[in-house]
Amino acid sequence: MAKRKYARMGEKENGYECTKRSCKWQGLDSEKALKKRNENQTDHVCPKCGNNEFYGLLNYKKQ
């Protein structure tokens, strides 16, 4: 049986992957870029493409 790549709800993720098929950037939470949403709020976005949605990775290893 194949191992799962992505974390499910409630599981601890070790890294993140951008959800855009053309990007697929992988990294840690601290490596995500910050984008101002408004005066008081910021979003974590992909540093490569600017997307703000990520998959949680179970077995992330820094390359």
Side-chain angles (χ1 to χ4, degrees):
M1 191 168 164
K3 291 184 179 182
R4 286 186 296 117
K5 181 178 179 180
Y6 302 115
R8 291 185 180 159
M9 190 81 124
E11 292 180 329
K12 177 71 177 142
E13 53 276 315
N14 293 330
Y16 296 92
E17 180 176 274
C18 180
T19 57
K20 274 194 176 176
R21 285 187 180 187
S22 59
C23 179
K24 292 296 184 188
W25 170 86
Q26 291 184 354
L28 300 172
D29 197 35
S30 61
E31 296 172 337
K32 293 179 187 175
L34 291 174
K35 180 180 179 184
K36 253 189 164 196
R37 183 189 281 184
N38 60 32
E39 190 176 309
N40 300 321
Q41 295 176 327
T42 58
D43 281 337
H44 286 278
V45 295
C46 175
K48 192 173 172 186
C49 69
N51 186 28
N52 67 346
E53 294 180 5
F54 300 90
Y55 295 125
L57 296 174
L58 290 173
N59 297 317
Y60 171 72
K61 292 181 181 137
K62 183 134 175 120
Q63 297 167 348

